[in-house]
Structure formats: C-alpha cells, structure tokens
Amino acid sequence: MKALDGRNNVKVYNLSAGKSLPDWLTERKRRQLTKRDVDIRRRIELLQDFSMPDISNCIRSTPDGRCIIATGTYKPRVRCYEVAALSLKFERGLDSEVVQFDILSDDFSKLVFLQDDRYIELHYKGGRWFRTRIPKFGRDLAYHYPSCDLYICASGSEIYRLNLNQGRFLNSLQTDAPGVNKCEFNKVHYLFACGTEDGRVEAWDPRSRHRVGVLDCALHMASENVQSNWFTSIKQLGVTALAFNDALTLGVGTQTGKILIYDIRSDKPLLVKDHYDGFPINDLEFHNASGKVMSMSPKVVKIWDKETGAPHTSIESTVDFNDLCVVPNSGMLFLATEDTKMQSYFLPSLGPAPKWCGHLDALIEELEEEESAAQYDDYKFVTEEELVQLGLQDLIGTNVLRAVMHGYYMDIRLYNKARLIANPFDYEEFVQRKVRQKILQDNTREIKKKNLPSINSELYERLLEDKASVFKKKMESASTLLQDDRFSDLFANPDFHIDKESEAFRLVNPTLSKMDKKKALEKQHEEDEELEYLKAREGLGQSESSDSDSIFGESDDEKETKKMKMVQKHEEKMKKIKMKKKKLEEKSANTSVNPPTEKPKEGSTSRLQFAEADSLSDLKANRKKLSKMTLAERLNIEDDSRNDVTHHTFGSREMSYMIRKAPKFERQRQEKEQHYQERRQLQRSSAKLKGKFRIKEPL
C-alpha cells in the first residue's frame, strides 16, 4: 500500500502497490521468494489474487455489495471475488473477449455478457445458460427491470431489444445516428438515453418505444467555441460516457475529453468540464455522499465538485485505465487497467472504508510501500535480439527463460551479470559505479582497532574472549570453531551472515539484544575515557610548547595538575587491565594442562593447602563464580579427599568423597568438644563425692 499526495493535499492511498509475482511461478518458488524478500512478505493484498493474466476490461460491484465481478484476458475469463472472505469465489472461462457486461440480480447469480464476436451470453450460478447473436458488433447494453428487456446498442443505427422473460427479440429502436456508443436507464423513472457517434443524446420512453427528446452536444460546443475544428471530423464529437445522478441530472462525456452536466428539462448544459488531455471520457460516476463527480479517461481519473466544477484531486498511473467501479457510500474505488493488476484506491476525503474492510484504517497507518515501476520487480523482459547481444541465446528452451509473447522473462540478477560481461567498458556505467564506490568509502570511514572479519565480526570477537576464559568447555568450543577448517566459511561466506534484525533471530535469541546494548554502552564509556585522556595529553603538550606566560598563573598550574592526575589515573587503569589479562591467560594455561599432584597425608597441613584454602575462601566470597563452575572444577580447586569411583551398569558412576573443612571452624569444634569433656568429668567427680559423705537419718 502506498500513500500518494494528490492535488490540493488530498490523501490518495493505492492499496494495490507493491511487488507482484508472475502466475507461472510454482508454489515452491513463491514460498522461497516470500522467505527471502521482506517487501513481498510484508505486502498486503486487499483482495487476494485481485488480478488478471494479461489485462482487465470491465469491473462491477453487485447491488448487494457482497461480490466484485471483473472480466479480463488472456484467455478470456470472468472472476468473482467475495468481499466477506477477501478472496476469489469462482472463475469461469469464456469463448471470446468481453466488451461489456451487466448484473441482472442482486447477487452474482444472473449475469449477461456482450462479447466482441457479436454474441450475448447469459450465465447463472452453474455456468452458461443461453447464448445468442446480434447482427452487428455490440458496444454497450442496459437492462430494463420492469419489462425484463435487454437493450443492446451496436455499430449500426438500431438498438436491439431482447426480452428475457419471453426469450425472443422484440422490435428494435431506430435512431438517426450512424452508430450508438453508450446507453443508460434512469433508475427513478426509467427514461432510456443513448449517446451516438455524431455527438447527440437521444431519450426514449420504453413504454411507448418513441423518442421523446434530443440533446445536441456537438452543436452547443460549436456555438460556444469549445471545439473550433468540429467540422473536420465527425467522429471527434461522439458521446463516449453517460450517467444519471437523480431524476433530472444527466452527465455526458465526449470523445474530446469534455464533460457536460445537463438538466434534462433544458437543452443547455449547467456545467462544462474539460480534462485538457485530448483523450475520450471512458466512464462517468456521481458520488452522492460527497457531492463529487468522477470522470475517467485512459490516463487519469479526475474528481471534481458537481456544482462548481472545482477540482478536488486526481489519480494517475503508468498504465491505461479501462473501467471504473465506485463502492457505494464509501471512499473506495476499483479500476480495470491495461496491466495484470486491477488497481484499488481509497480516498478518506470521499467517505469511510467499507464495512468488509474495517481494518483498512490500521493498514493505512502502518504500511507504506513503493509502487512497482516495472511489470515484475525481480524479473526482466528481454527480446531475442537482446539475448543474442548478451550471448545468452543458448538458454532458449531452458527453465532459466520463460517465453512470453515476443520475448522472454529472466532473472534480473542474471541479466545484470550478463550485461556487465557483454559491455565491460561502458563508460557511463563505469563512471556511475566509481561514484557509488567513492560514496560508500566516504560513508564507511571507521577506525579498525582489530583485524576482524567483515562477516560475523561480533561472533568472532566473542569466540576470542571465550578462548581466553577460565572455563574448559568455553575454551575448547571456541578453539575448535576458530581452528577447524570446516567452520572457516562462517566468517568468509556471506550466506552464513547472522542478521540480528531478522524476525527469526529475535524469536530464537530474545535476550541478546539487551546484552548487545550493554556492550555498546561499555564501549562508549571506554571511548569517552580515551577521548578525555587524549584531550588531557594534548593540553599538556600545548602548555609545554607555549612560551608566553599566562596572566593568571595559578589557574594554569591547577589545570596542569588536574590534567596530570587524569593521565596518571588512566595509565594506572590500563596497567590493571593488562595485569588481569595476564592472570586470566596463566589460569587458562594451568587449567588446560593438569599436572599430576601427590595427595597430602591426613593430618598434615602444608603451605599448598593453606594457599588453596585462601583461594577457596576468595571463591566463596563470590558465589556467582562458584555457581557457574562445574562440579569437577570445584573439586579440583577444593582438592577433596576422594575415596572411590564405582562404575555401575549402563554407564552410571558413583563417587564418594569428603569435603575438607576450613581450619578455623575445625579449631572451634575441637575447643567445644574439650569443654564438653571437662564438664562431664566435673559432674562425675561431684557425684562420687556425694556418695561417700552421705549421712543416714535416725529411725
């Protein structure tokens, strides 16, 4: 969907904008393209498969508003779209191309088609019901509901009448014109109007089959000097569009791009509007909800005020328009075009969205896609001569080329590569490429601190950090990934590039974005510190190089001392960081190679045990490190006295061990036991003394 700024700052939303895929692509290819291309995946079709294989001729909406019916080619067909499901309901093939069609019922159950081979086909729900032929090539048709008569105007002077109730032709209406282009019934009083080739509008009463009036549009234009050379060509004055607004208002479109608004009680027009493009007016619609008129020529659809003729806005396209359909009581309209896509537009200034697409307001706010300039964005149409120039004539007949009309469709990437090989010294393209490369170099000027690969550089940096870690598992996995040749393409082939902005990566790794933010903040903090350090060094150099004494000597001395302190702090911090890195490297080297150690005897306390106890107390102070360490690493650090490791069936093991206690707690336990023993001895000795000196009481 694309938002267009029309004239007078009126918003026009093109709901059919976006990338289009050809019909001859398989479902597998379509799925692959939707996975790879974000624009195709995010495009939204208002009506699914709202297109034709080649072009679309006519488009109509059913009176109940539940279906949209369109005809097109090639091959000739009719498609019915159900708006409740927003998809295709059915499709039928026809014998020849449709010139015009009409809907005879409130729904899609009864249709009549006027074809270019002089046939008239009547269809019902199951398909074609009846087929008949008229003497001359038909141009338009209209249906009279009270009498069930179908009026067909043709290239001759007669207007044919076919009664659908009796199933036979009635007496035709005889006009004074060499041919009749358009015909229309007034839905209020059923006055029949037909536009002729010589620029007249004839009105007929269907009850008496007599002509009741004539409007000479060509004569009025000649008298008002609207058309100066109208005598030169009679065909230029033909009426090409007719539309009734109410019981009295009639709109007439001419071959020269003029629109005349009449009151049928007068032979003078109320308003004359000109497109100023010289193209005929193919269709004319009145929008009663907004009081506007829509006039369509092959190049533009103009919307203007019915009373004053003031322009409201216009809709233009790169393809020609064939037919116009306005959804009643809404701001949506559909256009049949000379392209595969049938275009749909929404104008909020004309009215709200229809009920069946209430989600349109949210789509307008969220989505904005560029309109496709070519027929297919990912494919290029090439003639046989161009294939010979590119040296790809051997590909004719293979799956790489798709034969269409007088040429072939091929992948745009293959076309660009072949064009570069065929014309390597094209000066204009060479200059453009050099300019693009220069712009990219200027835009990507960055200081490279590390020799990191261009692909997956963050992963490479993380693996280098894991390689120097204390933990064995991280160190082993990182070293294997960096040293093994099987994983070399991970940092060289662009197909293995990790796209952190993709939806799949965010779903699998939802917490990595927070970690990346923390790392970015840390890097920014380090860069700020380095900038301060450099500024301080520059300030010191400038102060030393300056020969002239400043006026305020004391303030300058204070500034110099502050800068010196900043430089000293930064140097001390860098020294600490280097010392920590050295310690980590030494620990990783010690843990990677485990030398055999002798077990100390029980009861003996060596210096090694006290050192290990100190390291254990340091580790216990930091519980997070202990929780991350494995059981084997903790046992190696604590140097436990393991008794036995017994192997059971099915690969299970049982290990018994005793955790050595710290000497401080052991001393306290011994003092407590000694205290308890002394108290027991005192109690026993006091009990013995009581037994010896016991005095017997007298009887």
Side-chain angles (χ1 to χ4, degrees):
M1 186 170 61
K2 185 178 181 180
L4 306 173
D5 290 328
R7 292 184 179 180
N8 302 327
N9 295 324
V10 177
K11 280 288 184 182
V12 180
Y13 294 96
N14 186 359
L15 306 179
S16 55
K19 286 191 175 182
S20 59
L21 296 175
D23 294 333
W24 39 262
L25 281 181
T26 60
E27 289 295 327
R28 186 179 178 185
K29 288 263 186 180
R30 285 173 180 269
R31 287 196 297 269
Q32 288 176 355
L33 284 172
T34 51
K35 286 180 182 178
R36 283 183 295 177
D37 201 333
V38 179
D39 295 334
I40 295 174
R41 188 168 64 249
R42 291 182 178 177
R43 68 171 183 165
I44 293 177
E45 297 175 336
L46 186 66
L47 293 173
Q48 192 175 3
D49 297 330
F50 194 57
S51 61
M52 288 288 171
D54 191 10
I55 63 171
S56 51
N57 298 324
C58 305
I59 187 167
R60 294 281 184 277
S61 176
T62 56
D64 59 1
R66 295 183 179 180
C67 294
I68 294 166
I69 302 170
T71 60
T73 190
Y74 177 82
K75 300 178 181 179
R77 66 193 67 202
V78 56
R79 287 182 173 179
C80 179
Y81 298 89
E82 189 177 7
V83 296
L86 298 176
S87 61
L88 183 66
K89 188 175 182 66
F90 67 85
E91 179 182 359
R92 289 179 195 160
L94 301 172
D95 293 338
S96 57
E97 192 173 345
V98 175
V99 177
Q100 192 60 266
F101 77 97
D102 201 357
I103 302 166
L104 305 179
S105 60
D106 289 337
D107 55 1
F108 65 92
S109 59
K110 295 177 183 178
L111 304 171
V112 58
F113 297 97
L114 176 62
Q115 298 177 350
D116 61 353
D117 58 351
R118 296 188 293 157
Y119 273 98
I120 296 170
E121 285 189 2
L122 296 167
H123 285 236
Y124 74 112
K125 284 186 177 181
R128 189 170 68 188
W129 175 262
F130 179 70
R131 192 170 189 242
T132 186
R133 201 171 188 181
I134 56 176
K136 295 191 177 181
F137 292 97
R139 294 179 179 176
D140 199 7
L141 51 83
Y143 181 62
H144 186 237
Y145 285 93
S147 62
C148 296
D149 289 343
L150 183 67
Y151 287 69
I152 305 112
C153 59
S155 58
S157 61
E158 293 181 341
I159 298 172
Y160 306 107
R161 295 193 302 147
L162 176 62
N163 188 275
L164 302 181
N165 189 19
Q166 300 175 14
R168 65 186 181 92
F169 280 97
L170 304 177
N171 293 330
S172 59
L173 303 178
Q174 187 68 39
T175 64
D176 297 334
V180 183
N181 293 331
K182 297 294 288 186
C183 58
E184 186 76 18
F185 275 103
N186 192 309
K187 295 181 181 179
V188 179
H189 46 68
Y190 290 102
L191 179 70
F192 179 70
C194 57
T196 62
E197 286 183 354
D198 55 0
R200 295 181 180 181
V201 178
E202 296 186 4
W204 296 76
D205 188 356
R207 298 170 295 179
S208 61
R209 299 186 302 278
H210 291 294
R211 187 168 57 192
V212 295
V214 177
L215 286 174
D216 199 342
C217 303
L219 182 63
H220 173 76
M221 286 189 292
S223 62
E224 296 291 335
N225 286 327
V226 177
Q227 182 71 27
S228 59
N229 57 348
W230 70 284
F231 291 105
T232 57
S233 177
I234 298 173
K235 289 185 179 180
Q236 288 185 357
L237 305 174
V239 176
T240 56
L242 284 174
F244 281 102
N245 183 29
D246 49 26
L248 300 175
T249 308
L250 172 65
V252 181
T254 64
Q255 187 80 19
T256 56
K258 312 288 190 302
I259 303 101
L260 296 89
I261 305 298
Y262 282 94
D263 188 332
I264 60 174
R265 297 169 295 184
S266 173
D267 59 349
K268 293 182 180 179
L270 301 173
L271 181 67
V272 178
K273 182 73 176 176
D274 196 350
H275 270 209
Y276 295 106
D277 57 2
F279 293 102
I281 306 299
N282 290 340
D283 203 350
L284 195 63
E285 295 284 346
F286 287 92
H287 198 274
N288 294 323
S290 60
K292 300 291 188 295
V293 183
M294 298 182 186
S295 54
M296 186 197 77
S297 68
K299 297 296 181 182
V300 65
V301 177
K302 290 195 175 183
I303 304 169
W304 40 279
D305 190 79
K306 182 178 66 175
E307 302 294 335
T308 62
H312 180 65
T313 188
S314 61
I315 300 170
E316 298 179 4
S317 180
T318 56
V319 294
D320 291 348
F321 300 132
N322 290 332
D323 199 8
L324 171 66
C325 173
V326 181
V327 179
N329 301 321
S330 72
M332 184 173 289
L333 55 96
F334 300 102
L335 290 166
T337 63
E338 292 282 335
D339 195 9
T340 56
K341 279 186 178 182
M342 290 180 284
Q343 296 184 6
S344 52
Y345 291 90
F346 176 61
L347 289 83
S349 59
L350 297 182
K355 293 181 180 178
W356 48 268
C357 60
H359 59 281
L360 192 59
D361 296 330
L363 296 179
I364 287 169
E365 295 176 359
E366 293 176 2
L367 299 178
E368 285 186 357
E369 295 180 354
E370 293 183 0
E371 188 178 355
S372 58
Q375 196 171 12
Y376 302 115
D377 290 338
D378 297 330
Y379 293 87
K380 175 73 175 176
F381 182 80
V382 185
T383 60
E384 193 170 353
E385 295 176 356
E386 292 179 356
L387 284 175
V388 173
Q389 292 175 2
L390 295 172
L392 300 177
Q393 63 272 16
D394 297 333
L395 297 177
I396 297 173
T398 61
N399 295 328
V400 179
L401 299 177
R402 179 77 181 185
V404 177
M405 302 292 285
H406 60 284
Y408 303 90
Y409 276 113
M410 66 183 297
D411 196 348
I412 190 70
R413 294 171 294 180
L414 177 62
Y415 173 78
N416 292 331
K417 288 180 181 178
R419 190 181 61 181
L420 287 172
I421 294 168
N423 300 319
F425 300 107
D426 193 353
Y427 182 72
E428 292 181 0
E429 292 185 1
F430 175 75
V431 170
Q432 289 177 1
R433 283 202 306 271
K434 285 293 181 184
V435 169
R436 289 195 208 104
Q437 290 175 3
K438 187 68 177 174
I439 291 167
L440 285 172
Q441 287 177 3
D442 293 340
N443 291 336
T444 58
R445 282 180 179 175
E446 293 178 0
I447 300 167
K448 293 184 179 179
K449 296 181 180 180
K450 298 179 182 178
N451 294 324
L452 298 175
S454 59
I455 298 162
N456 296 330
S457 58
E458 294 181 3
L459 178 63
Y460 190 83
E461 192 174 359
R462 199 186 308 157
L463 289 172
L464 287 175
E465 291 176 359
D466 292 343
K467 190 178 178 182
S469 66
V470 182
F471 308 113
K472 287 184 180 179
K473 288 185 178 180
K474 282 187 177 181
M475 187 177 64
E476 290 174 358
S477 61
S479 60
T480 51
L481 279 171
L482 292 171
Q483 294 174 4
D484 200 340
D485 295 334
R486 294 177 295 174
F487 302 104
S488 60
D489 289 342
L490 188 61
F491 308 104
N493 195 346
D495 293 337
F496 296 101
H497 179 66
I498 300 169
D499 188 7
K500 291 190 175 182
E501 295 182 357
S502 62
E503 296 177 4
F505 183 83
R506 289 176 182 173
L507 290 171
V508 175
N509 304 304
T511 57
L512 282 180
S513 60
K514 296 180 180 178
M515 295 170 67
D516 293 338
K517 287 180 182 177
K518 288 182 180 178
K519 286 183 179 179
L521 288 171
E522 289 176 358
K523 285 182 179 179
Q524 189 175 1
H525 185 65
E526 289 177 0
E527 288 175 359
D528 293 339
E529 287 183 351
E530 288 179 1
L531 283 171
E532 289 178 359
Y533 171 68
L534 291 171
K535 285 178 182 177
R537 289 289 298 272
E538 286 175 2
L540 284 172
Q542 288 174 4
S543 63
E544 289 172 1
S545 61
S546 62
D547 297 325
S548 61
D549 298 331
S550 60
I551 299 168
F552 304 101
E554 295 177 359
S555 61
D556 291 340
D557 293 337
E558 289 176 0
K559 287 179 182 178
E560 287 179 4
T561 51
K562 284 181 181 179
K563 288 176 182 177
M564 286 290 291
K565 286 180 181 179
M566 287 174 66
V567 171
Q568 287 176 2
K569 282 183 182 179
H570 187 78
E571 288 176 353
E572 288 175 1
K573 194 181 286 184
M574 294 297 291
K575 285 180 182 179
K576 287 180 182 178
I577 291 166
K578 287 179 182 178
M579 290 294 290
K580 284 182 181 179
K581 285 183 179 178
K582 283 183 181 179
K583 286 181 181 179
L584 286 171
E585 288 175 0
E586 288 174 0
K587 285 183 181 179
S588 63
N590 292 329
T591 52
S592 60
V593 181
N594 293 320
T597 56
E598 294 182 359
K599 292 183 179 180
K601 295 180 182 179
E602 294 181 359
S604 64
T605 57
S606 62
R607 293 179 182 177
L608 180 64
Q609 286 180 349
F610 283 115
E612 288 174 356
D614 294 335
S615 64
L616 182 65
S617 62
D618 293 337
L619 285 169
K620 281 185 177 179
N622 194 352
R623 293 183 180 179
K624 289 184 179 179
K625 289 184 180 179
L626 277 172
S627 62
K628 290 179 181 178
M629 293 171 68
T630 60
L631 180 62
E633 290 171 351
R634 278 185 281 173
L635 291 173
N636 286 331
I637 291 170
E638 292 174 359
D639 195 15
D640 304 327
S641 60
R642 304 173 191 172
N643 293 333
D644 282 322
V645 177
T646 56
H647 297 271
H648 298 285
T649 55
F650 303 107
S652 60
R653 295 182 182 182
E654 182 182 352
M655 182 174 66
S656 60
Y657 59 91
M658 292 292 291
I659 298 173
R660 183 177 52 78
K661 295 180 180 179
K664 183 179 177 181
F665 296 105
E666 185 70 22
R667 204 176 301 135
Q668 288 178 358
R669 188 182 62 79
Q670 289 176 2
E671 288 176 357
K672 282 183 181 180
E673 287 182 357
Q674 189 176 359
H675 180 67
Y676 289 146
Q677 287 177 4
E678 288 176 356
R679 287 188 67 182
R680 285 172 188 170
Q681 287 177 1
L682 287 171
Q683 286 175 1
R684 287 173 186 171
S685 60
S686 62
K688 287 178 181 179
L689 289 170
K690 282 181 182 179
K692 287 181 180 180
F693 299 100
R694 186 176 294 172
I695 301 168
K696 293 182 180 180
E697 293 180 359
L699 296 174

